């Protein structure tokens, strides 16, 4: 694991319990609802960067089979307790141990942003590989420029790595991977004290192989 990513994961391992408690009510409801409505009961959904399992639990409550993946061991311990009916794997977004064309939908909320900008493409390629033809993927990342470590109150002053994108950058990246862009917009999310601009993209894998 790269050093920058290891530092971020170490932070999440140290703050896991408090972080899960303070973010439990911060699910992006509009985006989550839209994504969920594009699936049917019994579909297999991958929560890519599932953290403490908040969204795994919500997806399971909607009748989906849920697989959560994350690199934080401590977060996964909490996730297994929060969403006991889901499957969890300790793995990297860029190396997903699932078969090609096996997933009906991918929910990726605030996870890609912890990868270096140049690495996001590799994760999206993995998403495309495991998605079934015609399946959907929802990604939420922070709007901005560059990449840097940030220490804030939510991380208890410990470092987390962030990368930022502009809408056109994500749009061009997704189009270069032959994703169909169903929604691509800027939205606001977070608590009143942490209100930020986010990029919300709802994607569909093409029904035929284009790349």
């Amino acid at each position: 694991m790269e050093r920058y990513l290891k530092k971020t994961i170490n932070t999440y391992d140290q703050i896991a319990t408090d972080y899960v408690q303070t973010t439990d009510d911060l699910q992006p409801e509009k985006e989550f609802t839209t994504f969920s409505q594009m699936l049917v009961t019994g579909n297999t959904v991958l929560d890519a960067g599932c953290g403490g399992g908040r969204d795994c639990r919500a997806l399971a409550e909607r009748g989906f089979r849920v697989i959560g993946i994350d690199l934080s061991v401590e977060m996964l311990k909490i996730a297994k307790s929060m969403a006991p009916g889901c499957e969890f794997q300790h793995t990297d977004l860029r190396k997903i141990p699932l078969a090609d064309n096996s997933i009906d939908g991918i929910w990726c909320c605030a996870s890609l942003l912890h990868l270096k900008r140049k690495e996001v493409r590799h994760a999206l390629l993995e998403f495309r590989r495991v998605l079934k033809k015609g399946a959907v993927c929802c990604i939420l990342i922070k709007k901005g420029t560059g990449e840097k470590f940030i220490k804030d109150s939510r991380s208890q002053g410990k470092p987390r790595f962030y990368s930022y994108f502009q809408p056109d950058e994500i749009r061009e990246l997704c189009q270069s991977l032959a994703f169909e862009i169903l929604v691509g917009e800027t939205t606001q999310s977070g608590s009143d004290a942490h209100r930020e601009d986010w990029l919300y993209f709802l994607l569909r894998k093409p029904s035929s192989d284009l790349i």
Side-chain angles (χ1 to χ4, degrees):
M1 187 190 306
E2 300 96 328
R3 222 170 140 187
Y4 79 91
L5 189 53
K6 188 173 183 178
K7 286 180 71 172
T8 299
I9 299 306
N10 285 343
T11 290
Y12 278 114
D13 281 341
Q14 293 175 61
I15 67 171
T17 300
D18 288 342
Y19 185 86
V20 168
Q21 292 175 350
T22 58
T23 60
D24 189 58
D25 61 346
L26 297 182
Q27 183 190 76
E29 293 183 11
K30 181 189 77 171
E31 295 84 356
F32 183 83
T33 299
T34 300
F35 170 75
S36 298
Q37 289 174 344
M38 301 194 72
L39 303 166
V40 297
T41 301
N43 274 175
T44 299
V45 180
L46 175 66
D47 187 348
C50 64
R54 176 197 67 194
D55 296 339
C56 289
R57 177 186 60 192
L59 288 164
E61 288 172 351
R62 289 178 178 248
F64 306 129
R65 173 179 175 251
V66 183
I67 302 170
I69 63 173
D70 206 279
L71 278 173
S72 168
V73 171
E74 296 304 317
M75 284 288 195
L76 285 173
K77 288 179 182 177
I78 296 171
K80 290 174 183 178
S81 175
M82 182 176 289
C86 301
E87 175 185 339
F88 294 98
Q89 298 189 29
H90 179 244
T91 194
D92 193 308
L93 300 181
R94 299 163 295 176
K95 297 177 183 177
I96 302 172
L98 296 173
D100 296 359
N101 306 303
S102 60
I103 299 296
D104 297 294
I106 294 177
W107 172 256
C108 185
C109 178
S111 302
L112 290 172
L113 49 72
H114 289 313
L115 292 174
K116 287 196 176 235
R117 285 166 50 91
K118 65 181 181 180
E119 292 298 316
V120 171
R121 179 182 182 87
H122 298 300
L124 289 176
L125 278 169
E126 272 292 86
F127 291 179
R128 191 180 187 281
R129 179 184 67 79
V130 301
L131 281 169
K132 294 178 181 178
K133 293 179 180 180
V136 294
C137 171
C138 181
I139 61 175
L140 289 113
I141 57 178
K142 289 190 177 185
K143 181 181 179 182
T145 58
E147 49 189 34
K148 59 185 175 181
F149 278 99
I150 291 180
K151 300 177 182 179
D152 57 20
S153 59
R154 190 164 284 162
S155 70
Q156 300 176 12
K158 298 176 176 64
R160 290 185 291 171
F161 180 88
Y162 286 95
S163 63
Y164 301 84
F165 287 87
Q166 289 296 310
D168 288 346
E169 292 178 310
I170 290 297
R171 186 176 298 277
E172 290 172 10
L173 176 57
C174 293
Q175 289 174 337
S176 75
L177 300 176
F179 278 110
E180 178 187 358
I181 299 174
L182 304 177
V183 179
E185 62 185 32
T186 300
T187 184
Q188 282 202 328
S189 186
S191 64
D192 291 339
H194 292 87
R195 227 43 202 171
E196 294 179 291
D197 285 334
W198 290 73
L199 300 180
Y200 158 48
F201 275 74
L202 185 62
L203 313 171
R204 176 177 286 149
K205 178 177 176 176
S207 298
S208 59
D209 292 324
L210 299 179
I211 62 172

